[in-house]
Amino acid sequence: MSKHRASLSTLLRHVHVSGPLSRAALAERMDVNRSTILALTSELVAAGLVREENPAAPAGAGRPSLVVRPETERVFVLAFDVAVDRLVAARVGLGGTVLDRRETTRPRTGVDLDAVVSNLAALGRELHDAAPPGTVCAGIGASYCGMIRPGDGMVRYGPELGWVDQAFGTELAAALGVGLPVAVGNEAHLGAHAEFVRGAGIGSPDLIYLHGDVGVGGGILVGGTLLGGESGYGCEVGHMLVNPHGGRECLCGSRGCLEAETGEYALLEAVGRGDEFGREAVRSVVRAAAAGDPAAAAAVASIGDWLGIGVANLINLFNPGVVVFGGTLRELYAAAAPQVGARIAQHSMRVSRERARLLPSGLGDDATLIGAAEKGFAALLSDPLGGLLVDRTF
Amino acid sequence: MSKHRASLSTLLRHVHVSGPLSRAALAERMDVNRSTILALTSELVAAGLVREENPAAPAGAGRPSLVVRPETERVFVLAFDVAVDRLVAARVGLGGTVLDRRETTRPRTGVDLDAVVSNLAALGRELHDAAPPGTVCAGIGASYCGMIRPGDGMVRYGPELGWVDQAFGTELAAALGVGLPVAVGNEAHLGAHAEFVRGAGIGSPDLIYLHGDVGVGGGILVGGTLLGGESGYGCEVGHMLVNPHGGRECLCGSRGCLEAETGEYALLEAVGRGDEFGREAVRSVVRAAAAGDPAAAAAVASIGDWLGIGVANLINLFNPGVVVFGGTLRELYAAAAPQVGARIAQHSMRVSRERARLLPSGLGDDATLIGAAEKGFAALLSDPLGGLLVDRTF
């Protein structure tokens, strides 16, 4: 890519991530002079990606520096989130604002590819059709609770929904019929990126995001980049074996995996509510524990114990700056912090943990959805004038 | 760094790693024309880092392309390896050839900083003084079996030798008195790099190196770069908790760590030889198992079981292209491959393991020493004409 295109990309990324910035601030961040910023901004204004405005109040003497603002209302992506207990679709504007959203509960069974795709496509088309005239869809991103093949969004393995080698990305793109591909990512990978860009992990490029749904997903950033591995199938934190002696059965076919010991089924069965499912059921157990219910408190503490072992192992391996607890682990971690902390102190190297902060998700239940939106914006952000938008305004 | 300096670095790195290469081959690898190669080579020849020679046999018609060869005999580093049962020092030439070497067994106890440093410095000075006239020491690298602070080579934690916050790098540099700093790295980190550059992991940038000594060290490359984490203290594979119920005591103070279950003490105690130590003792147990000794075979199989759990967890987390077994794990893995393989099949995701190869170290017991040499060469390779060599020829 030419230096000029790289600079356009950098500028657009700055206002997408940080919101409106003065030309002066951009010049400082990008270490270029103001005339360069002026030239770059003019091109992005012409493309309809940013606009320039006078600042709210002039700062000090001299001519105030114009503020560059992303065209949030005009340029959007469609973002989808396939979680275990719900399907979400949203229209998210450049800059990361959720402009419109649809949500539906997902049935516990009967969730094959066709059903999920047709549900999502209906929500997506509703959002797309409701978009005001003159707006433009710049990309589509989707979050899925399983292992995703980079490139085409094939679900290689999704034990929670029982999917193996299902062409989710291409099928959803076809069903939407918007003429854009769907960039699919694993929910926890996307959550990790979202927390790094806009959540609890800002400024921490060595970040571990743990996502509690039915299972436990992991997204691990190493130096700001998602740990991909040989083919994109790393970060499978949930299937780390933590209990080799008589551990609970896992959906993956093994026993004693971290997610078998800490996931939704472990918690709900421990309190005799194995017939329920979903994030609200988990949260009601956490609330019961806080209210003094002994069975609930014991279940939460036991899960904290296993979770702490998992986190200790991750600290030893990754020496993270931050570990972010998302999905239902957000509340579970808050309730079981003493157990988690004790296990970390016992099983991780002092030197590896001394700078690690443990934090709840900053984006809450929307971390994966926001991550999907970021995935949808990726092509535009890396090449803002790549022609993507020219013929797409409607 | 200027583009020119970067090109000098790239060229020198090619001949350092691959050995003699024709100008034509360099031009192709670096995607530049031959006159650029000529200019770069001339500068490196003038600096005494490479020389040009006629090829052994002319290849085809036309004038043969001159071969660029690293000045292996002239430019060397000192490399040190502090292992649990031995101290090694070597003079290693540009291109990676061990030119001269000294080795001494290390006593099991009484191994404080002063003793180790004075032993190593004596070996190093011997090597340095024995170097022929006209040769030049370009750097010093050292491998240590513990957690190393990047920058100054402080040993933050070395449970095998009982070291906490010992200024190993600066003390060794002072004791050597060569006027160069000592670049220190963790043994398994350095082994990982060495196996990637010159050993079993060539071409596999997503590599896990497991090093068996008294403990189990890990070096993990993600996209060709060592996993550093927030402060350089990741990759602590040996202290991954694998046996939470009544696991063996570990030197780190915890129980059930991977190295407690698979390290030297576990093996030797299982066969009633807890009073011995060192790599030869481990290897004699492996040989006894192969020869049909039932106690030895059971001990090896049990260790293979735990090792397999550890490797399965690493495969889930890192989706590696290759897992390399080094140090005493080289022989232990070879003897316990069925157990290791069974655990991997049981506890790792098929999608994560489908492209992972399990291989014995290609460099054997010298992996960590070669890694130390590479660490010693790093400054020269990244800036070949940085002035390092000018005043150092002796």
Side-chain angles (χ1 to χ4, degrees), chain A residues 147 156-157 164 206 222 227-237 239-245 252 254 306 309 313-314 316-321 346-347 349-352 354-355, chain B residues 147 156-157 164 206 222 227-237 239-245 252 254 306 309 313-314 316-321 346-347 349-352 354-355:
Chain A
M147 300 174 80
R156 291 295 312 278
Y157 186 49
V164 174
D206 293 287
V222 176
L227 170 64
E230 174 76 15
S231 337
Y233 306 126
C235 303
E236 284 295 310
V237 170
H239 301 287
M240 181 196 298
L241 181 67
V242 291
N243 188 1
H245 297 117
C252 75
S254 179
W306 290 115
I309 289 176
N313 284 350
L314 294 172
N316 286 333
L317 289 171
F318 292 99
N319 181 211
Q346 193 181 352
H347 300 297
M349 301 288 97
R350 185 176 57 80
V351 173
S352 303
E354 64 192 0
R355 297 185 62 185
Chain B
M147 299 175 79
R156 292 295 313 279
Y157 187 49
V164 174
D206 293 287
V222 175
L227 170 64
E230 173 77 14
S231 338
Y233 305 127
C235 303
E236 284 294 311
V237 169
H239 300 287
M240 181 197 295
L241 180 66
V242 291
N243 188 359
H245 296 117
C252 76
S254 178
W306 290 114
I309 289 176
N313 283 350
L314 294 173
N316 286 333
L317 288 171
F318 292 99
N319 181 212
Q346 192 180 350
H347 300 298
M349 301 288 96
R350 185 177 56 81
V351 173
S352 304
E354 66 192 358
R355 298 186 61 184

Side-chain angles (χ1 to χ4, degrees), chain B residues 202-378:
Chain B
I202 293 173
S204 292
D206 293 287
L207 175 151
I208 297 175
Y209 174 76
L210 298 177
H211 185 79
D213 194 338
V214 159
V216 172
I220 299 171
L221 304 187
V222 175
T225 301
L226 182 75
L227 170 64
E230 173 77 14
S231 338
Y233 305 127
C235 303
E236 284 294 311
V237 169
H239 300 287
M240 181 197 295
L241 180 66
V242 291
N243 188 359
H245 296 117
R248 287 174 51 89
E249 245 180 89
C250 186
L251 289 171
C252 76
S254 178
R255 284 180 166 277
C257 298
L258 181 64
E259 77 169 44
E261 303 296 345
T262 63
E264 190 176 302
Y265 297 151
L267 183 75
L268 294 175
E269 285 171 19
V271 294
R273 292 168 61 174
D275 54 330
E276 299 178 42
F277 84 114
R279 68 193 73 205
E280 284 318 315
V282 170
R283 285 167 183 161
S284 78
V285 176
V286 173
R287 282 193 300 269
D293 178 321
V300 167
S302 160
I303 279 175
D305 223 34
W306 290 114
L307 184 59
I309 289 176
V311 174
N313 283 350
L314 294 173
I315 287 174
N316 286 333
L317 288 171
F318 292 99
N319 181 212
V322 61
V323 181
V324 179
F325 297 90
T328 52
L329 285 181
R330 191 172 193 272
E331 288 79 14
L332 272 169
Y333 168 65
Q339 287 78 20
V340 175
R343 285 296 190 167
I344 291 172
Q346 192 180 350
H347 300 298
S348 73
M349 301 288 96
R350 185 177 56 81
V351 173
S352 304
R353 73 174 177 257
E354 66 192 358
R355 298 186 61 184
R357 294 172 301 139
L358 275 61
L359 297 172
S361 160
L363 300 169
D365 277 357
D366 275 352
T368 52
L369 182 71
I370 297 297
E374 294 299 329
K375 186 113 182 148
F377 276 119

Side-chain angles (χ1 to χ4, degrees), chain A residues 206-217:
Chain A
D206 293 287
L207 175 151
I208 297 174
Y209 174 76
L210 298 175
H211 185 79
D213 195 336
V214 159
V216 172

